[in-house]
């Protein structure tokens, strides 16, 4: 079964997380599929806007934890550049056409950080965003250590990234992470209709406007993705991460008293 559904209509490429039984957690293969789809969409005249969506009950539980464990066990000399997640992040952060997201239910880790690289974000009133990197012995990714304080202000960013507790759609609306909060069953449809509005506009003007909007931070974002990627690769092999991943698999609370 394909875990990323892809469909183009009316100038909108819709990419749908389709791994609901695993809460749409994202594997290396899924990152590669997403990155390749975006790379192709950037050059495809039939695609003018991209919509990323999940299910009305779950956007994404973030990185697949079993994949994290496998990556942590891989040879240490593998660099962040080898990681499919980093490839996806570099591609989405540089994607030139408008990106719309529809988020319902939990959006964990990269399920939240990828939204910082989308242009319009619509959320169901059941959306629960979280950045639980510290709780997993990890560090921020997707340039979120730069973009979250920029958007939320430092103290709210520190709360989100150090405590890692979920915050709901209304709070996300207040800090500017989402454009509108809507009923979950309507969210994908509303996001689709906004994406189609964008797709009907002159593409050259859209692309140039997005380039100008991002001009002052594009290079810094790519640089931060690299810096965070190196810290992340180290953190993934730490005793704290090992304990957090093992605890998740064993369905118990992690014990960080020795790390
Ligand atoms: N990686 C791998 N498997 C995952 C997963 C993940 N990130 N998230 C959920 N799953 C699996 C669960 O292990 C469970 O498998 P099982 O049916 O074999 O027991 C199944 O998906 C359902 O998840 P469950 O936790 O029972 O669903 P829930 O509705 O109670 O909670 C979440 C949903 C998203 C809140 C919860 O699954 C969660 O917190 N997941 C981990 C998120 C995380 O830490 N991601 C990494 C971010 S960097």
């Amino acid at each position: 079964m394909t875990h990323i559904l892809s469909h183009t209509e009316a100038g909108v490429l819709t990419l749908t997380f389709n791994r609901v039984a695993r809460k749409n957690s994202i594997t290396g293969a899924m990152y590669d599929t997403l990155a390749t789809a975006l790379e192709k969409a950037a050059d495809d005249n039939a695609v003018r806007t991209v919509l990323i969506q999940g299910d009305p009950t779950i956007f994404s539980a973030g990185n697949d934890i079993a994949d994290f464990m496998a990556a942590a066990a891989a040879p240490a000399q593998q660099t962040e550049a080898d990681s499919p997640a980093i490839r996806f992040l570099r591609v989405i952060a540089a994607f030139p056409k408008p990106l719309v997201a529809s988020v319902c239910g939990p959006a964990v880790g990269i399920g939240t950080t990828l939204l910082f690289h989308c242009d319009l974000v619509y959320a169901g009133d059941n959306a629960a965003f979280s950045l639980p990197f510290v709780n997993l012995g990890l560090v921020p990714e997707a340039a979120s250590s730069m973009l979250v304080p920029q958007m939320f202000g430092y103290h709210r960013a520190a709360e989100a990234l150090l405590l890692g507790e979920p915050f709901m759609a209304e709070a996300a609306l207040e800090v500017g992470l989402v454009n509108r909060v809507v009923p979950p069953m309507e969210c994908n449809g509303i996001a689709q209709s906004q994406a189609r509005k964008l797709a009907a506009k002159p593409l050259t003007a859209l692309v140039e406007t997005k380039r100008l909007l991002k001009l002052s931070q594009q290079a810094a974002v790519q640089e931060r993705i690299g810096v965070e990627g190196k810290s992340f690769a180290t953190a993934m092999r730490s005793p704290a991460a090992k304990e957090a991943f093992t605890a998740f698999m064993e369905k118990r609370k992690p014990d960080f008293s020795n790390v």
Side-chain angles (χ1 to χ4, degrees), residues 19-26 57-58 60-68 106-111 130-133 136 138 141 232 245 248-249 251:
R19 199 181 181 225
V20 174
R22 282 271 169 276
K23 299 288 164 183
N24 287 341
S25 54
I26 310 174
T57 63
I58 175 82
S60 172
N63 205 102
D64 184 285
I65 303 267
D67 262 29
F68 267 156
V108 186
I110 201 163
S130 59
L131 302 163
F133 302 109
L136 293 164
L138 298 173
E141 29 90 298
F232 202 98
F245 300 158
F248 179 78
M249 290 301 180
K251 298 189 187 293

Side-chain angles (χ1 to χ4, degrees), residues 50-252:
V50 174
L51 168 63
I52 299 177
Q53 66 183 19
D55 180 83
T57 63
I58 175 82
F59 183 63
S60 172
N63 205 102
D64 184 285
I65 303 267
D67 262 29
F68 267 156
M69 293 180 91
Q77 66 267 28
Q78 278 191 351
T79 64
E80 52 94 1
D82 296 322
S83 144
I86 298 284
R87 176 186 167 220
F88 164 67
L89 290 174
R90 290 200 179 284
V91 172
I92 194 172
F95 188 68
K97 297 175 183 175
L99 269 165
V100 180
S102 167
V103 185
C104 297
V108 186
I110 201 163
T112 288
T113 60
L114 74 81
L115 303 174
F116 286 86
H117 305 289
C118 294
D119 303 296
L120 303 181
V121 179
Y122 297 93
D125 57 21
N126 62 345
F129 305 85
S130 59
L131 302 163
F133 302 109
V134 165
N135 302 340
L136 293 164
L138 298 173
V139 298
E141 29 90 298
S144 58
S145 60
M146 181 176 111
L147 298 173
V148 180
Q150 220 173 66
M151 184 182 282
F152 293 14
Y154 181 79
H155 290 103
R156 284 196 284 197
E159 192 170 50
L161 281 162
L162 298 178
L163 280 177
E165 288 170 357
F167 52 97
M168 298 303 290
E170 288 298 337
L173 183 68
E174 195 198 319
V175 292
L177 180 61
V178 310
N179 291 84
R180 203 193 303 170
V181 179
V182 300
M185 294 309 289
E186 293 170 27
C187 196
N188 287 354
I190 289 168
Q192 180 70 231
S193 97
Q194 295 297 87
R196 287 188 187 194
K197 272 192 215 165
L198 287 169
K201 294 186 188 293
L203 183 59
T204 45
L206 284 174
V207 167
E208 184 60 3
T209 299
K210 177 165 173 170
R211 188 183 75 81
L212 292 168
L213 275 167
K214 301 252 178 192
L215 192 59
S216 58
Q217 61 174 37
Q218 188 58 255
V221 164
Q222 290 291 340
E223 189 193 340
R224 187 63 67 100
I225 289 173
V227 171
E228 290 173 346
K230 287 192 176 68
S231 288
F232 202 98
T234 304
M236 232 167 40
R237 295 184 165 79
S238 67
K242 191 173 177 200
E243 166 58 11
F245 300 158
T246 309
F248 179 78
M249 290 301 180
E250 293 174 356
K251 298 189 187 293
R252 62 169 171 81

